[in-house]
Amino acid sequence: MQIQDYLNAGKIASEVRENARKKYHVGSTLFEICESIESEIAKKGGKCAFPVNTSLNEIAAHYTAEPNDQKTVQETDLLKIDLGVQVNGYIADTAVTVCYEPSFDYLIQAAEAALKDAISMIRVGVKSSDVGKTIEQTIKQMGGVPIANLSGHSLEQYTIHAGKSIPNVWSIGSFSFLPTEAYACEPFVTTREGLGFVREGKTRNIFSLVSRKKTKDPECDKLVDYIWEKFNMLPFALRWFLPQWKEKTARSLLEKLVKHKVVRSYPVLIEANGQRVAQAEHTFIPQESGVTITTL
Ligand code: MN
Ligand code: MN
């Protein structure tokens, strides 16, 4: 494990996240938000570990801007900005929710409080199921409902979801935190009218490479080489192929690669009763007496 790379990625991610928290996003398009955050990451010397996610309201996760996406943030919107930075493949994954409608502030506060309570109980040897229990309790005490089928995760070099899940509710099946691994904790909170789980939506605009097997289509294979070279196995967006490829060409090549199962696409995740969702997220490394939060 490269601690220094994790720390360097975390420092960039936290600076960029705090700038996004302070900024007034009403009137900006999702395209402008994604592109400006991604270019800020690059300016600070990091690489994107995945396309910036700008998930609005009942969309809990996995929405990134389409090329020239004109969807504009409104005064009443609740916007989750989830960003990832990687240095030599070591990832910092962090998120902030912004909202200009005070009646939903409690959702953001519950997500932030649950994250804080979870992280302050973690050290080497703590069980993930106990962390889930704490997250659930804090969220419920603050009048919210946790999203049960979204969870935090272990991280590995060039791998965002490395196999272990940190639940957002009490659940059976558990692992103990190790000092040799980095993890992301990410409580998601919805309202009491919410069902507390997400379903898959139709939109899919985040992709990742599954394998490098040849397709017999040289244009497809060329795109796969580009993906591997630039993003390794990490997620990417169609936007990232422009202007080297025309939008229409890139879209049809991607479609073919998804059909060949060389690339997978991720559906947006939507609260099952259409209720708004807030999120908070940090990346950390457990220690014997606490944690190092890389994205603090
Ligand atoms: Mn994230
Ligand atoms: Mn994450």
Side-chain angles (χ1 to χ4, degrees), residues 50 82 93-94 151-153 155 160-161 184 186 279 281:
F50 51 82
D82 191 335
D93 184 2
T94 188
S151 55
H153 46 93
L155 295 155
I160 295 171
H161 290 259
E186 47 183 317
Q279 174 200 16
E281 180 174 24

Side-chain angles (χ1 to χ4, degrees), residues 8-9 12 38 40-49 85-87:
N8 292 344
I12 296 168
E38 288 166 5
E40 197 183 339
I41 290 171
K43 228 179 280 164
K44 288 178 184 289
K47 288 183 176 170
C48 292
V85 175
Q86 58 111 336
V87 172

Side-chain angles (χ1 to χ4, degrees), residues 58 60 135-136 139 144-152 166-169 186-191 194-199 269-273 275-278:
E58 73 278 10
I135 291 173
E136 178 172 9
I139 290 172
V145 171
I147 302 285
N149 62 342
L150 288 174
S151 55
I166 307 176
N168 289 325
V169 293
E186 47 183 317
F188 287 83
V189 183
T190 190
T191 73
L195 289 177
F197 64 91
V198 291
R199 63 173 178 84
L269 300 172
I270 306 173
E271 206 291 318
N273 198 32
Q275 291 294 299
R276 289 171 194 228
V277 179

Side-chain angles (χ1 to χ4, degrees), residues 80-121:
K80 291 156 292 294
I81 299 174
D82 191 335
L83 60 102
V85 175
Q86 58 111 336
V87 172
N88 298 320
Y90 295 95
I91 297 163
D93 184 2
T94 188
V96 61
T97 302
V98 295
C99 180
Y100 310 96
E101 167 63 57
S103 58
F104 292 103
D105 280 351
Y106 79 100
L107 294 177
I108 301 175
Q109 283 159 11
E112 295 278 355
L115 178 60
K116 198 172 175 204
D117 289 351
I119 285 184
S120 55
M121 73 180 285

Side-chain angles (χ1 to χ4, degrees), residues 144-206:
V145 171
I147 302 285
N149 62 342
L150 288 174
S151 55
H153 46 93
S154 55
L155 295 155
E156 275 170 19
Q157 190 183 24
Y158 292 111
T159 309
I160 295 171
H161 290 259
K164 295 176 187 171
S165 294
I166 307 176
N168 289 325
V169 293
W170 185 85
S171 49
I172 50 166
S174 190
F175 68 88
S176 296
F177 287 95
L178 300 173
T180 50
E181 230 172 11
Y183 305 85
C185 181
E186 47 183 317
F188 287 83
V189 183
T190 190
T191 73
R192 284 210 176 109
E193 287 71 52
L195 289 177
F197 64 91
V198 291
R199 63 173 178 84
E200 295 186 351
K202 278 186 188 137
T203 304
R204 290 171 180 259
N205 50 29
I206 297 174

